Amino acid sequence: MKAPAFTFERAPTLGDAFDLFEAGGGEAIYLAGGHSVVPSLALRLQAPETLIDIAAIPELSGIREEAGMLRIGAMTRHAEILADPLVATHAPLLAMAAPHVAHPAIRNRGTIGGNLCHADPASEFPAVMLALEAEMEIAAPEGHRRVPARDFFVDLYETACAPGEILVALHVPVAGPATRCAFDEISRRRGDYAMIGCAVQITLEAGRIADPRVAFLSVGATPRRVPGCEAVLHDALLSAATIAKAQDALGADLDPMDDPNVPPAMRLHLARVLLGRLLGQLENDHV
Amino acid sequence: MSEQIPLSFTLNGKPVAAFVEPRKSLADFLREDRALTATRLGCEMGTCGACLVMMDGAPAHACLVLAAQAEGAEITTLEGQSEDALMADLQAAFVDRNAAQCGFCTSGMLTTALAYVRQGGTPDRAAIRDALSGNYCRCTGYEAIVDAIAGVAEAAMHKEAAA
Ligand SMILES: Cc1cc2nc3c(=O)[nH]c(=O)nc-3n(C[C@H](O)[C@H](O)[C@H](O)COP(=O)(O)OP(=O)(O)OC[C@H]3O[C@@H](n4cnc5c(N)ncnc54)[C@H](O)[C@@H]3O)c2cc1C
Ligand code: FES
Ligand code: FES
């Protein structure tokens, strides 16, 4: 199908984008890579009057280290995340998740900012943001603010970035020498949205776990950390016994949605299998 | 109909200046306004890969890019690749292996294959299948396509080693 008619505006600066949004009287949306917006127009799932292209706004691009944090501009393409040496060194979990996002050509155009703002519950990067405890820098006409990832993902396709506001960049605390991480997902076919996915980051010293972060995607309206499971891992030796206990804790942490394709019991089972796989991988890498 | 907007970019090595309707996809612009029909439209939602073109040197779905978003970009369609030696090798390998039946998917397959081999992709069949995960073919069953790409990747590796 073809998209309905709309007007198209290019915003060279943040200020221009806000002005254009204001002028749009609630009928405008921002356009980044367009890989969620354009198909939604073609399918006529939405019909905005104006698209405001934010791709050229300077603050939205670039990856750099800044005061112990990695700053990743919202317009960074998935393929750049995959190839960037700073991401590989300072946020390896993000680099590990990137190959699971869609197909190679989609990764050339889709942006991390668009991905996070779209907030698909089966999307990889939102779960990674939770595990990395990243901060989202949001710009509004009144000024910039930072929102922790745990407060950013509000509901299905809904984030703390309100209509008219712009996600400028994400700030990720850089990984330390003892940081270990793993990411994987289970999908029916390569490149499909995942039935379950999991991001794990821990600090591992002398075989003992500190600061465990475990986040799941595709378990409900938003990605989820699993506090019970993390409590089991905290200050424990990374061993087969610990892994089994962590897997058992998931039953109380997760309450997967009703879905005829993947019933809750099956999804919980897949979550346990995936967590066991990832922690087992970290245990093997360690010995 | 909304107002047409000016658009300029490089298409197959030549500058293009045109007016487009904002809602027109790059694929429709190429096919309807430029008669470049190697770019195919299957699903128009990013799933089938029939519409892949090179955008600033990397494959992109022309159905997911608005023509207006191509402003300033360098777009190369399959028509613009015919002088490329690697593309010629891939096309020859597709013919040899009978990797095109109806041919609807072939432009997209060749575009993905070109990027794969250029980036130093190996003849490993699993890696080739992974690279092709966003390209659908309803005819061949993929084996012949993977064979053709593996052959060219293999030859490219030997060439690299000899150089
Ligand atoms: C076939 C296919 C398969 C896919 N598979 C996956 C997958 O497996 N995993 C996955 O995670 N994703 C997948 N995607 C989605 C892809 O990653 C999208 O590109 C991405 O979710 C959106 O990024 P975008 O830059 O294209 O955003 P756009 O489509 O331009 O925008 C998406 C939304 O975010 C808003 N927005 C964009 N940028 C900003 C900003 N900086 N500030 C405020 N609002 C903003 C827009 O207004 C819009 O509402 C797939 C897409 C396709 C077409
Ligand atoms: S037509 Fe673009 S991916 Fe199918
Ligand atoms: S040859 Fe017919 S779809 Fe691939």
Side-chain angles (χ1 to χ4, degrees), chain A residues 220-245:
Chain A
T222 63
R224 287 270 275 279
R225 289 276 291 266
V226 281
C229 168
E230 291 177 358
V232 168
L233 293 173
H234 180 68
D235 206 24
L237 282 171
L238 181 53
S239 64
T242 303
I243 295 173
K245 270 194 242 161

mmCIF file with all atom_site columns, all heavy atoms in Angstrom, chain A residues 220-245:
data_model
loop_
_atom_site.group_PDB
_atom_site.id
_atom_site.type_symbol
_atom_site.label_atom_id
_atom_site.label_alt_id
_atom_site.label_comp_id
_atom_site.label_asym_id
_atom_site.label_entity_id
_atom_site.label_seq_id
_atom_site.pdbx_PDB_ins_code
_atom_site.Cartn_x
_atom_site.Cartn_y
_atom_site.Cartn_z
_atom_site.occupancy
_atom_site.B_iso_or_equiv
_atom_site.pdbx_formal_charge
_atom_site.auth_seq_id
_atom_site.auth_comp_id
_atom_site.auth_asym_id
_atom_site.auth_atom_id
_atom_site.pdbx_PDB_model_num
ATOM 1   N N   . GLY A 1 220 ? 6.479  -8.577  28.248 1.00 0.00 ? 220 GLY A N   1
ATOM 2   C CA  . GLY A 1 220 ? 5.329  -7.771  28.644 1.00 0.00 ? 220 GLY A CA  1
ATOM 3   C C   . GLY A 1 220 ? 5.350  -6.488  27.845 1.00 0.00 ? 220 GLY A C   1
ATOM 4   O O   . GLY A 1 220 ? 6.001  -6.405  26.799 1.00 0.00 ? 220 GLY A O   1
ATOM 5   N N   . ALA A 1 221 ? 4.678  -5.459  28.351 1.00 0.00 ? 221 ALA A N   1
ATOM 6   C CA  . ALA A 1 221 ? 4.557  -4.200  27.612 1.00 0.00 ? 221 ALA A CA  1
ATOM 7   C C   . ALA A 1 221 ? 5.890  -3.465  27.490 1.00 0.00 ? 221 ALA A C   1
ATOM 8   O O   . ALA A 1 221 ? 6.126  -2.747  26.533 1.00 0.00 ? 221 ALA A O   1
ATOM 9   C CB  . ALA A 1 221 ? 3.530  -3.303  28.297 1.00 0.00 ? 221 ALA A CB  1
ATOM 10  N N   . THR A 1 222 ? 6.747  -3.639  28.482 1.00 0.00 ? 222 THR A N   1
ATOM 11  C CA  . THR A 1 222 ? 8.062  -2.983  28.472 1.00 0.00 ? 222 THR A CA  1
ATOM 12  C C   . THR A 1 222 ? 9.129  -4.021  28.807 1.00 0.00 ? 222 THR A C   1
ATOM 13  O O   . THR A 1 222 ? 8.806  -5.077  29.338 1.00 0.00 ? 222 THR A O   1
ATOM 14  C CB  . THR A 1 222 ? 8.145  -1.870  29.550 1.00 0.00 ? 222 THR A CB  1
ATOM 15  O OG1 . THR A 1 222 ? 8.007  -2.488  30.839 1.00 0.00 ? 222 THR A OG1 1
ATOM 16  C CG2 . THR A 1 222 ? 7.053  -0.830  29.375 1.00 0.00 ? 222 THR A CG2 1
ATOM 17  N N   . PRO A 1 223 ? 10.398 -3.721  28.525 1.00 0.00 ? 223 PRO A N   1
ATOM 18  C CA  . PRO A 1 223 ? 11.454 -4.634  28.982 1.00 0.00 ? 223 PRO A CA  1
ATOM 19  C C   . PRO A 1 223 ? 11.500 -4.613  30.514 1.00 0.00 ? 223 PRO A C   1
ATOM 20  O O   . PRO A 1 223 ? 11.043 -3.649  31.133 1.00 0.00 ? 223 PRO A O   1
ATOM 21  C CB  . PRO A 1 223 ? 12.726 -4.027  28.381 1.00 0.00 ? 223 PRO A CB  1
ATOM 22  C CG  . PRO A 1 223 ? 12.409 -2.587  28.156 1.00 0.00 ? 223 PRO A CG  1
ATOM 23  C CD  . PRO A 1 223 ? 10.949 -2.536  27.833 1.00 0.00 ? 223 PRO A CD  1
ATOM 24  N N   . ARG A 1 224 ? 12.044 -5.672  31.103 1.00 0.00 ? 224 ARG A N   1
ATOM 25  C CA  . ARG A 1 224 ? 11.974 -5.797  32.568 1.00 0.00 ? 224 ARG A CA  1
ATOM 26  C C   . ARG A 1 224 ? 13.289 -6.250  33.171 1.00 0.00 ? 224 ARG A C   1
ATOM 27  O O   . ARG A 1 224 ? 13.918 -7.186  32.684 1.00 0.00 ? 224 ARG A O   1
ATOM 28  C CB  . ARG A 1 224 ? 10.943 -6.872  32.913 1.00 0.00 ? 224 ARG A CB  1
ATOM 29  C CG  . ARG A 1 224 ? 9.516  -6.479  32.709 1.00 0.00 ? 224 ARG A CG  1
ATOM 30  C CD  . ARG A 1 224 ? 8.924  -5.859  33.951 1.00 0.00 ? 224 ARG A CD  1
ATOM 31  N NE  . ARG A 1 224 ? 8.429  -6.910  34.826 1.00 0.00 ? 224 ARG A NE  1
ATOM 32  C CZ  . ARG A 1 224 ? 7.252  -7.515  34.672 1.00 0.00 ? 224 ARG A CZ  1
ATOM 33  N NH1 . ARG A 1 224 ? 6.462  -7.215  33.672 1.00 0.00 ? 224 ARG A NH1 1
ATOM 34  N NH2 . ARG A 1 224 ? 6.867  -8.440  35.536 1.00 0.00 ? 224 ARG A NH2 1
ATOM 35  N N   . ARG A 1 225 ? 13.718 -5.607  34.280 1.00 0.00 ? 225 ARG A N   1
ATOM 36  C CA  . ARG A 1 225 ? 14.772 -6.161  35.134 1.00 0.00 ? 225 ARG A CA  1
ATOM 37  C C   . ARG A 1 225 ? 14.111 -7.191  36.042 1.00 0.00 ? 225 ARG A C   1
ATOM 38  O O   . ARG A 1 225 ? 12.903 -7.136  36.282 1.00 0.00 ? 225 ARG A O   1
ATOM 39  C CB  . ARG A 1 225 ? 15.405 -5.045  35.975 1.00 0.00 ? 225 ARG A CB  1
ATOM 40  C CG  . ARG A 1 225 ? 16.269 -4.081  35.172 1.00 0.00 ? 225 ARG A CG  1
ATOM 41  C CD  . ARG A 1 225 ? 17.682 -4.591  34.965 1.00 0.00 ? 225 ARG A CD  1
ATOM 42  N NE  . ARG A 1 225 ? 18.460 -4.607  36.198 1.00 0.00 ? 225 ARG A NE  1
ATOM 43  C CZ  . ARG A 1 225 ? 19.267 -3.625  36.608 1.00 0.00 ? 225 ARG A CZ  1
ATOM 44  N NH1 . ARG A 1 225 ? 19.406 -2.552  35.873 1.00 0.00 ? 225 ARG A NH1 1
ATOM 45  N NH2 . ARG A 1 225 ? 19.945 -3.713  37.751 1.00 0.00 ? 225 ARG A NH2 1
ATOM 46  N N   . VAL A 1 226 ? 14.906 -8.115  36.572 1.00 0.00 ? 226 VAL A N   1
ATOM 47  C CA  . VAL A 1 226 ? 14.348 -9.185  37.398 1.00 0.00 ? 226 VAL A CA  1
ATOM 48  C C   . VAL A 1 226 ? 15.017 -9.178  38.778 1.00 0.00 ? 226 VAL A C   1
ATOM 49  O O   . VAL A 1 226 ? 16.030 -9.833  39.001 1.00 0.00 ? 226 VAL A O   1
ATOM 50  C CB  . VAL A 1 226 ? 14.501 -10.556 36.700 1.00 0.00 ? 226 VAL A CB  1
ATOM 51  C CG1 . VAL A 1 226 ? 13.425 -10.715 35.645 1.00 0.00 ? 226 VAL A CG1 1
ATOM 52  C CG2 . VAL A 1 226 ? 15.866 -10.721 36.036 1.00 0.00 ? 226 VAL A CG2 1
ATOM 53  N N   . PRO A 1 227 ? 14.436 -8.404  39.727 1.00 0.00 ? 227 PRO A N   1
ATOM 54  C CA  . PRO A 1 227 ? 15.098 -8.165  41.019 1.00 0.00 ? 227 PRO A CA  1
ATOM 55  C C   . PRO A 1 227 ? 15.360 -9.431  41.841 1.00 0.00 ? 227 PRO A C   1
ATOM 56  O O   . PRO A 1 227 ? 16.414 -9.542  42.475 1.00 0.00 ? 227 PRO A O   1
ATOM 57  C CB  . PRO A 1 227 ? 14.136 -7.237  41.759 1.00 0.00 ? 227 PRO A CB  1
ATOM 58  C CG  . PRO A 1 227 ? 12.982 -6.985  40.870 1.00 0.00 ? 227 PRO A CG  1
ATOM 59  C CD  . PRO A 1 227 ? 13.179 -7.664  39.573 1.00 0.00 ? 227 PRO A CD  1
ATOM 60  N N   . GLY A 1 228 ? 14.424 -10.370 41.842 1.00 0.00 ? 228 GLY A N   1
ATOM 61  C CA  . GLY A 1 228 ? 14.616 -11.596 42.632 1.00 0.00 ? 228 GLY A CA  1
ATOM 62  C C   . GLY A 1 228 ? 15.817 -12.374 42.122 1.00 0.00 ? 228 GLY A C   1
ATOM 63  O O   . GLY A 1 228 ? 16.663 -12.848 42.905 1.00 0.00 ? 228 GLY A O   1
ATOM 64  N N   . CYS A 1 229 ? 15.896 -12.510 40.844 1.00 0.00 ? 229 CYS A N   1
ATOM 65  C CA  . CYS A 1 229 ? 17.001 -13.216 40.197 1.00 0.00 ? 229 CYS A CA  1
ATOM 66  C C   . CYS A 1 229 ? 18.323 -12.495 40.467 1.00 0.00 ? 229 CYS A C   1
ATOM 67  O O   . CYS A 1 229 ? 19.339 -13.116 40.801 1.00 0.00 ? 229 CYS A O   1
ATOM 68  C CB  . CYS A 1 229 ? 16.694 -13.292 38.699 1.00 0.00 ? 229 CYS A CB  1
ATOM 69  S SG  . CYS A 1 229 ? 18.053 -13.799 37.672 1.00 0.00 ? 229 CYS A SG  1
ATOM 70  N N   . GLU A 1 230 ? 18.293 -11.167 40.382 1.00 0.00 ? 230 GLU A N   1
ATOM 71  C CA  . GLU A 1 230 ? 19.516 -10.386 40.629 1.00 0.00 ? 230 GLU A CA  1
ATOM 72  C C   . GLU A 1 230 ? 19.965 -10.540 42.084 1.00 0.00 ? 230 GLU A C   1
ATOM 73  O O   . GLU A 1 230 ? 21.165 -10.591 42.368 1.00 0.00 ? 230 GLU A O   1
ATOM 74  C CB  . GLU A 1 230 ? 19.285 -8.915  40.271 1.00 0.00 ? 230 GLU A CB  1
ATOM 75  C CG  . GLU A 1 230 ? 19.123 -8.701  38.759 1.00 0.00 ? 230 GLU A CG  1
ATOM 76  C CD  . GLU A 1 230 ? 18.820 -7.255  38.381 1.00 0.00 ? 230 GLU A CD  1
ATOM 77  O OE1 . GLU A 1 230 ? 18.689 -6.393  39.282 1.00 0.00 ? 230 GLU A OE1 1
ATOM 78  O OE2 . GLU A 1 230 ? 18.708 -6.981  37.159 1.00 0.00 ? 230 GLU A OE2 1
ATOM 79  N N   . ALA A 1 231 ? 18.991 -10.633 43.031 1.00 0.00 ? 231 ALA A N   1
ATOM 80  C CA  . ALA A 1 231 ? 19.338 -10.794 44.444 1.00 0.00 ? 231 ALA A CA  1
ATOM 81  C C   . ALA A 1 231 ? 20.059 -12.123 44.660 1.00 0.00 ? 231 ALA A C   1
ATOM 82  O O   . ALA A 1 231 ? 20.999 -12.213 45.459 1.00 0.00 ? 231 ALA A O   1
ATOM 83  C CB  . ALA A 1 231 ? 18.077 -10.714 45.314 1.00 0.00 ? 231 ALA A CB  1
ATOM 84  N N   . VAL A 1 232 ? 19.636 -13.159 43.939 1.00 0.00 ? 232 VAL A N   1
ATOM 85  C CA  . VAL A 1 232 ? 20.304 -14.460 44.042 1.00 0.00 ? 232 VAL A CA  1
ATOM 86  C C   . VAL A 1 232 ? 21.749 -14.356 43.552 1.00 0.00 ? 232 VAL A C   1
ATOM 87  O O   . VAL A 1 232 ? 22.674 -14.917 44.146 1.00 0.00 ? 232 VAL A O   1
ATOM 88  C CB  . VAL A 1 232 ? 19.546 -15.525 43.205 1.00 0.00 ? 232 VAL A CB  1
ATOM 89  C CG1 . VAL A 1 232 ? 20.368 -16.799 43.066 1.00 0.00 ? 232 VAL A CG1 1
ATOM 90  C CG2 . VAL A 1 232 ? 18.182 -15.815 43.814 1.00 0.00 ? 232 VAL A CG2 1
ATOM 91  N N   . LEU A 1 233 ? 21.941 -13.616 42.481 1.00 0.00 ? 233 LEU A N   1
ATOM 92  C CA  . LEU A 1 233 ? 23.275 -13.521 41.872 1.00 0.00 ? 233 LEU A CA  1
ATOM 93  C C   . LEU A 1 233 ? 24.222 -12.643 42.681 1.00 0.00 ? 233 LEU A C   1
ATOM 94  O O   . LEU A 1 233 ? 25.434 -12.875 42.704 1.00 0.00 ? 233 LEU A O   1
ATOM 95  C CB  . LEU A 1 233 ? 23.160 -12.954 40.447 1.00 0.00 ? 233 LEU A CB  1
ATOM 96  C CG  . LEU A 1 233 ? 22.449 -13.843 39.427 1.00 0.00 ? 233 LEU A CG  1
ATOM 97  C CD1 . LEU A 1 233 ? 22.253 -13.084 38.114 1.00 0.00 ? 233 LEU A CD1 1
ATOM 98  C CD2 . LEU A 1 233 ? 23.251 -15.123 39.165 1.00 0.00 ? 233 LEU A CD2 1
ATOM 99  N N   . HIS A 1 234 ? 23.662 -11.644 43.362 1.00 0.00 ? 234 HIS A N   1
ATOM 100 C CA  . HIS A 1 234 ? 24.510 -10.672 44.040 1.00 0.00 ? 234 HIS A CA  1
ATOM 101 C C   . HIS A 1 234 ? 25.405 -11.339 45.086 1.00 0.00 ? 234 HIS A C   1
ATOM 102 O O   . HIS A 1 234 ? 24.927 -12.060 45.955 1.00 0.00 ? 234 HIS A O   1
ATOM 103 C CB  . HIS A 1 234 ? 23.657 -9.581  44.692 1.00 0.00 ? 234 HIS A CB  1
ATOM 104 C CG  . HIS A 1 234 ? 24.500 -8.562  45.400 1.00 0.00 ? 234 HIS A CG  1
ATOM 105 N ND1 . HIS A 1 234 ? 25.332 -7.702  44.732 1.00 0.00 ? 234 HIS A ND1 1
ATOM 106 C CD2 . HIS A 1 234 ? 24.700 -8.321  46.730 1.00 0.00 ? 234 HIS A CD2 1
ATOM 107 C CE1 . HIS A 1 234 ? 25.977 -6.961  45.613 1.00 0.00 ? 234 HIS A CE1 1
ATOM 108 N NE2 . HIS A 1 234 ? 25.616 -7.320  46.829 1.00 0.00 ? 234 HIS A NE2 1
ATOM 109 N N   . ASP A 1 235 ? 26.702 -11.102 44.983 1.00 0.00 ? 235 ASP A N   1
ATOM 110 C CA  . ASP A 1 235 ? 27.691 -11.603 45.931 1.00 0.00 ? 235 ASP A CA  1
ATOM 111 C C   . ASP A 1 235 ? 27.769 -13.136 45.977 1.00 0.00 ? 235 ASP A C   1
ATOM 112 O O   . ASP A 1 235 ? 28.260 -13.701 46.954 1.00 0.00 ? 235 ASP A O   1
ATOM 113 C CB  . ASP A 1 235 ? 27.404 -11.040 47.339 1.00 0.00 ? 235 ASP A CB  1
ATOM 114 C CG  . ASP A 1 235 ? 28.673 -10.975 48.174 1.00 0.00 ? 235 ASP A CG  1
ATOM 115 O OD1 . ASP A 1 235 ? 29.771 -10.919 47.585 1.00 0.00 ? 235 ASP A OD1 1
ATOM 116 O OD2 . ASP A 1 235 ? 28.566 -11.022 49.421 1.00 0.00 ? 235 ASP A OD2 1
ATOM 117 N N   . ALA A 1 236 ? 27.259 -13.794 44.949 1.00 0.00 ? 236 ALA A N   1
ATOM 118 C CA  . ALA A 1 236 ? 27.345 -15.263 44.902 1.00 0.00 ? 236 ALA A CA  1
ATOM 119 C C   . ALA A 1 236 ? 28.493 -15.669 43.984 1.00 0.00 ? 236 ALA A C   1
ATOM 120 O O   . ALA A 1 236 ? 28.936 -14.904 43.141 1.00 0.00 ? 236 ALA A O   1
ATOM 121 C CB  . ALA A 1 236 ? 26.031 -15.828 44.364 1.00 0.00 ? 236 ALA A CB  1
ATOM 122 N N   . LEU A 1 237 ? 29.000 -16.906 44.203 1.00 0.00 ? 237 LEU A N   1
ATOM 123 C CA  . LEU A 1 237 ? 29.995 -17.445 43.265 1.00 0.00 ? 237 LEU A CA  1
ATOM 124 C C   . LEU A 1 237 ? 29.269 -17.841 41.990 1.00 0.00 ? 237 LEU A C   1
ATOM 125 O O   . LEU A 1 237 ? 28.162 -18.395 42.053 1.00 0.00 ? 237 LEU A O   1
ATOM 126 C CB  . LEU A 1 237 ? 30.673 -18.682 43.869 1.00 0.00 ? 237 LEU A CB  1
ATOM 127 C CG  . LEU A 1 237 ? 31.754 -18.405 44.917 1.00 0.00 ? 237 LEU A CG  1
ATOM 128 C CD1 . LEU A 1 237 ? 32.189 -19.706 45.579 1.00 0.00 ? 237 LEU A CD1 1
ATOM 129 C CD2 . LEU A 1 237 ? 32.960 -17.695 44.287 1.00 0.00 ? 237 LEU A CD2 1
ATOM 130 N N   . LEU A 1 238 ? 29.866 -17.547 40.855 1.00 0.00 ? 238 LEU A N   1
ATOM 131 C CA  . LEU A 1 238 ? 29.237 -17.931 39.584 1.00 0.00 ? 238 LEU A CA  1
ATOM 132 C C   . LEU A 1 238 ? 29.465 -19.429 39.376 1.00 0.00 ? 238 LEU A C   1
ATOM 133 O O   . LEU A 1 238 ? 30.532 -19.856 38.947 1.00 0.00 ? 238 LEU A O   1
ATOM 134 C CB  . LEU A 1 238 ? 29.828 -17.108 38.428 1.00 0.00 ? 238 LEU A CB  1
ATOM 135 C CG  . LEU A 1 238 ? 29.257 -17.386 37.032 1.00 0.00 ? 238 LEU A CG  1
ATOM 136 C CD1 . LEU A 1 238 ? 27.739 -17.283 37.009 1.00 0.00 ? 238 LEU A CD1 1
ATOM 137 C CD2 . LEU A 1 238 ? 29.848 -16.433 36.007 1.00 0.00 ? 238 LEU A CD2 1
ATOM 138 N N   . SER A 1 239 ? 28.445 -20.216 39.728 1.00 0.00 ? 239 SER A N   1
ATOM 139 C CA  . SER A 1 239 ? 28.579 -21.674 39.672 1.00 0.00 ? 239 SER A CA  1
ATOM 140 C C   . SER A 1 239 ? 27.280 -22.259 39.139 1.00 0.00 ? 239 SER A C   1
ATOM 141 O O   . SER A 1 239 ? 26.259 -21.559 39.043 1.00 0.00 ? 239 SER A O   1
ATOM 142 C CB  . SER A 1 239 ? 28.805 -22.214 41.079 1.00 0.00 ? 239 SER A CB  1
ATOM 143 O OG  . SER A 1 239 ? 27.644 -21.947 41.861 1.00 0.00 ? 239 SER A OG  1
ATOM 144 N N   . ALA A 1 240 ? 27.309 -23.535 38.836 1.00 0.00 ? 240 ALA A N   1
ATOM 145 C CA  . ALA A 1 240 ? 26.100 -24.210 38.350 1.00 0.00 ? 240 ALA A CA  1
ATOM 146 C C   . ALA A 1 240 ? 24.969 -24.089 39.364 1.00 0.00 ? 240 ALA A C   1
ATOM 147 O O   . ALA A 1 240 ? 23.800 -23.890 38.996 1.00 0.00 ? 240 ALA A O   1
ATOM 148 C CB  . ALA A 1 240 ? 26.401 -25.675 38.048 1.00 0.00 ? 240 ALA A CB  1
ATOM 149 N N   . ALA A 1 241 ? 25.306 -24.172 40.658 1.00 0.00 ? 241 ALA A N   1
ATOM 150 C CA  . ALA A 1 241 ? 24.269 -24.089 41.702 1.00 0.00 ? 241 ALA A CA  1
ATOM 151 C C   . ALA A 1 241 ? 23.629 -22.697 41.709 1.00 0.00 ? 241 ALA A C   1
ATOM 152 O O   . ALA A 1 241 ? 22.395 -22.565 41.801 1.00 0.00 ? 241 ALA A O   1
ATOM 153 C CB  . ALA A 1 241 ? 24.877 -24.410 43.068 1.00 0.00 ? 241 ALA A CB  1
ATOM 154 N N   . THR A 1 242 ? 24.468 -21.672 41.593 1.00 0.00 ? 242 THR A N   1
ATOM 155 C CA  . THR A 1 242 ? 23.943 -20.297 41.570 1.00 0.00 ? 242 THR A CA  1
ATOM 156 C C   . THR A 1 242 ? 23.046 -20.097 40.349 1.00 0.00 ? 242 THR A C   1
ATOM 157 O O   . THR A 1 242 ? 21.970 -19.486 40.443 1.00 0.00 ? 242 THR A O   1
ATOM 158 C CB  . THR A 1 242 ? 25.109 -19.272 41.524 1.00 0.00 ? 242 THR A CB  1
ATOM 159 O OG1 . THR A 1 242 ? 25.950 -19.505 42.646 1.00 0.00 ? 242 THR A OG1 1
ATOM 160 C CG2 . THR A 1 242 ? 24.596 -17.856 41.545 1.00 0.00 ? 242 THR A CG2 1
ATOM 161 N N   . ILE A 1 243 ? 23.506 -20.600 39.221 1.00 0.00 ? 243 ILE A N   1
ATOM 162 C CA  . ILE A 1 243 ? 22.732 -20.423 37.987 1.00 0.00 ? 243 ILE A CA  1
ATOM 163 C C   . ILE A 1 243 ? 21.353 -21.073 38.131 1.00 0.00 ? 243 ILE A C   1
ATOM 164 O O   . ILE A 1 243 ? 20.329 -20.473 37.772 1.00 0.00 ? 243 ILE A O   1
ATOM 165 C CB  . ILE A 1 243 ? 23.506 -21.001 36.767 1.00 0.00 ? 243 ILE A CB  1
ATOM 166 C CG1 . ILE A 1 243 ? 24.796 -20.195 36.549 1.00 0.00 ? 243 ILE A CG1 1
ATOM 167 C CG2 . ILE A 1 243 ? 22.639 -20.973 35.506 1.00 0.00 ? 243 ILE A CG2 1
ATOM 168 C CD1 . ILE A 1 243 ? 25.740 -20.745 35.481 1.00 0.00 ? 243 ILE A CD1 1
ATOM 169 N N   . ALA A 1 244 ? 21.307 -22.259 38.710 1.00 0.00 ? 244 ALA A N   1
ATOM 170 C CA  . ALA A 1 244 ? 20.022 -22.951 38.894 1.00 0.00 ? 244 ALA A CA  1
ATOM 171 C C   . ALA A 1 244 ? 19.098 -22.134 39.791 1.00 0.00 ? 244 ALA A C   1
ATOM 172 O O   . ALA A 1 244 ? 17.901 -22.001 39.524 1.00 0.00 ? 244 ALA A O   1
ATOM 173 C CB  . ALA A 1 244 ? 20.264 -24.343 39.476 1.00 0.00 ? 244 ALA A CB  1
ATOM 174 N N   . LYS A 1 245 ? 19.666 -21.564 40.858 1.00 0.00 ? 245 LYS A N   1
ATOM 175 C CA  . LYS A 1 245 ? 18.846 -20.751 41.769 1.00 0.00 ? 245 LYS A CA  1
ATOM 176 C C   . LYS A 1 245 ? 18.328 -19.484 41.064 1.00 0.00 ? 245 LYS A C   1
ATOM 177 O O   . LYS A 1 245 ? 17.189 -19.077 41.268 1.00 0.00 ? 245 LYS A O   1
ATOM 178 C CB  . LYS A 1 245 ? 19.668 -20.346 43.007 1.00 0.00 ? 245 LYS A CB  1
ATOM 179 C CG  . LYS A 1 245 ? 19.565 -21.368 44.145 1.00 0.00 ? 245 LYS A CG  1
ATOM 180 C CD  . LYS A 1 245 ? 20.097 -20.751 45.431 1.00 0.00 ? 245 LYS A CD  1
ATOM 181 C CE  . LYS A 1 245 ? 21.305 -21.543 45.914 1.00 0.00 ? 245 LYS A CE  1
ATOM 182 N NZ  . LYS A 1 245 ? 22.170 -20.845 46.846 1.00 0.00 ? 245 LYS A NZ  1
#
